[in-house]
Amino acid sequence: MRVGVLTGGGDCPGLNAVIRAIVRKGVPEYGYSFLGFRDGWRGPLEALTKPLDIPAVRGLLPRGGTILGSSRTNPFAVEGGVEKIRTNLQNLGVDALIAIGGEDTLGVATKLHEIGVNVIGVPKTIDNDLSGTDYTFGFDTAVNIATEAIDRLHTTAESHHRALIVEVMGRHAGWIALHAGMAGGANIILIPEVRFDIEQVCRWVESRFRLDYAPIIVVSEGAMPKDRDESLLNGEKDAFGHVRLGGIGDWLAKEIETRTGKEARTTVLGHVQRGGTPTARDRWLATRFGLHAIDAVHAGQWGQMTALRGTDITMVPLSEATKELKVVDPALYAEAEVFFG
């Protein structure tokens, strides 16, 4: 059997560990051959390939990014895209496809499965917002990077008596902000699931300064104030219709300075959260996902996705994993609010 492998959407630490595990088990145990598709769904769409064998995956475990490249290509938005994929898979002799990605990549995989393509999914996103799995790899690394940044900002905030804002990734889900904010001892955490009151934020800021402490505010890129609409977004959209985010941190800094008279500065972590060496936990999870993905190929469990449930890896339908996003429960967020102000 010849198996295709692709990585789509935003890159994240642990992608290479999945590829490594798939190949290192698939070749000796099942006798499969592997073909890497480059740049996400653009690979099978345009027949862009890269050979994958055991020598090709050596040394990948600690390496960030993805050796296959990635993109936000949506074949269903391309005229004749699905038929091109079918034709290219047939011409290349690819019998099955392992798609590693987030909601958009796996959403495409779900649709391809429905029309007869043999697909297995592996969940990847630093946002940890995929349903069906307790955690996705990449999330732990992103949280650790954000936490370290918050730790470092505490001392400079105190030295200059400033309010410091840390803008982290999180379009619709505030998992990174919540976990990193609590771990880093942030004074205020703002997430997309709960619209915030800017006046209350300013009261919390003033409260910290009255105690001779400089506040640290962690905000998800998709967080929104109660009295504003989508005007904080810049309007640009990708192939999946997502509006490009960014700017909430700078907006907060200006509002805090205007309303409190206190100096405020913003640090946007951006793609720093995606890069570099994966943590031990992400390497562990990515490796287990890869091993179970190739087992699923061997068992013919098409249309399924690897998932972490407790400490067990199980298979769940792709349709379940992509039907809705996993967001932060407001009750869980309320636990963090105890420390605000």
Side-chain angles (χ1 to χ4, degrees), residues 6 37-48 73-89 92:
L6 66 83
F37 284 105
R38 294 167 48 202
D39 301 336
W41 289 112
R42 185 180 297 149
L45 188 65
E46 301 178 11
L48 305 174
T73 302
N74 181 1
F76 285 91
V78 176
E79 185 175 354
V82 174
E83 287 308 312
K84 289 180 181 177
I85 287 179
R86 282 178 176 273
T87 299
N88 288 332
L89 291 179
L92 292 166

Side-chain angles (χ1 to χ4, degrees), residues 313-325:
I313 304 295
T314 186
M315 301 301 295
V316 300
L318 276 168
S319 56
E320 176 186 333
T322 56
K323 67 181 179 181
E324 62 181 3
L325 291 176

Side-chain angles (χ1 to χ4, degrees), residues 116-133:
V117 178
N118 294 335
V119 181
I120 297 294
V122 176
K124 168 267 356 164
T125 167
I126 66 170
D127 292 334
N128 198 42
D129 59 359
L130 269 174
S131 296
T133 183

Side-chain angles (χ1 to χ4, degrees), residues 286-304:
T287 298
R288 293 187 71 197
F289 275 169
L291 297 175
H292 282 261
I294 196 59
D295 286 344
V297 169
H298 187 67
Q301 295 177 287
W302 313 123
Q304 300 282 306

Side-chain angles (χ1 to χ4, degrees), residues 273-296:
Q273 296 156 92
R274 292 192 182 281
T277 300
T279 61
R281 179 176 174 80
D282 276 342
R283 298 184 202 190
W284 169 85
L285 181 57
T287 298
R288 293 187 71 197
F289 275 169
L291 297 175
H292 282 261
I294 196 59
D295 286 344

Side-chain angles (χ1 to χ4, degrees), residues 250-265:
D250 288 336
W251 181 86
L252 267 174
K254 292 175 183 176
E255 289 295 316
I256 289 170
E257 287 191 344
T258 300
R259 294 168 183 260
T260 69
K262 302 295 184 180
E263 190 176 7
R265 292 289 186 272

Side-chain angles (χ1 to χ4, degrees), residues 18-271:
V18 180
I19 298 167
R20 171 182 177 270
I22 290 169
V23 174
R24 284 182 63 91
K25 185 171 187 177
V27 171
E29 185 157 336
Y30 297 127
Y32 295 162
S33 62
F34 293 89
L35 187 67
F37 284 105
R38 294 167 48 202
D39 301 336
W41 289 112
R42 185 180 297 149
L45 188 65
E46 301 178 11
L48 305 174
T49 65
K50 176 176 182 173
L52 285 180
D53 54 18
I54 289 180
V57 300
R58 285 182 181 143
L60 290 187
L61 196 58
R63 184 171 169 181
T66 165
I67 61 168
L68 296 178
S70 190
S71 73
R72 296 192 183 277
T73 302
N74 181 1
F76 285 91
V78 176
E79 185 175 354
V82 174
E83 287 308 312
K84 289 180 181 177
I85 287 179
R86 282 178 176 273
T87 299
N88 288 332
L89 291 179
Q90 184 176 4
N91 291 341
L92 292 166
V94 174
D95 305 293
L97 193 60
I98 298 177
I100 311 166
E103 58 166 322
D104 295 325
T105 301
L106 297 185
V108 171
T110 303
K111 293 179 181 178
L112 289 176
H113 165 67
E114 292 170 353
I115 61 174
V117 178
N118 294 335
V119 181
I120 297 294
V122 176
K124 168 267 356 164
T125 167
I126 66 170
D127 292 334
N128 198 42
D129 59 359
L130 269 174
S131 296
T133 183
D134 291 349
Y135 286 97
T136 54
F137 67 87
F139 173 66
D140 188 67
T141 303
V143 168
N144 275 274
I145 290 169
T147 301
E148 182 180 356
I150 295 166
D151 288 345
R152 291 177 179 275
L153 289 171
H154 273 290
T155 53
T156 188
E158 295 294 340
S159 298
H160 294 277
H161 311 292
R162 291 171 175 160
L164 288 187
I165 299 158
V166 185
E167 182 181 316
V168 299
M169 286 185 170
R171 174 181 296 277
H172 301 296
W175 293 108
I176 294 177
L178 183 62
H179 281 242
M182 292 186 72
N187 308 112
I188 304 167
I189 302 169
L190 307 176
I191 62 176
E193 293 87 342
V194 181
R195 287 207 167 205
F196 63 88
D197 181 344
I198 186 60
E199 292 185 359
Q200 178 61 67
V201 170
C202 290
R203 286 194 290 270
W204 282 326
V205 167
E206 291 173 326
S207 173
R208 293 297 294 175
F209 277 118
R210 282 196 296 271
L211 296 172
D212 290 327
Y213 289 105
I216 299 289
I217 303 165
V218 178
V219 57
S220 295
E221 61 184 346
M224 294 285 289
K226 289 181 178 179
D227 60 346
R228 294 290 296 270
D229 55 21
E230 302 302 308
S231 60
L232 284 177
L233 308 178
N234 69 14
E236 297 179 20
K237 294 185 178 181
D238 63 19
F240 291 92
H242 299 308
V243 177
R244 185 178 176 183
L245 299 181
I248 185 62
D250 288 336
W251 181 86
L252 267 174
K254 292 175 183 176
E255 289 295 316
I256 289 170
E257 287 191 344
T258 300
R259 294 168 183 260
T260 69
K262 302 295 184 180
E263 190 176 7
R265 292 289 186 272
T266 300
T267 298
V268 180
L269 295 186
H271 289 80

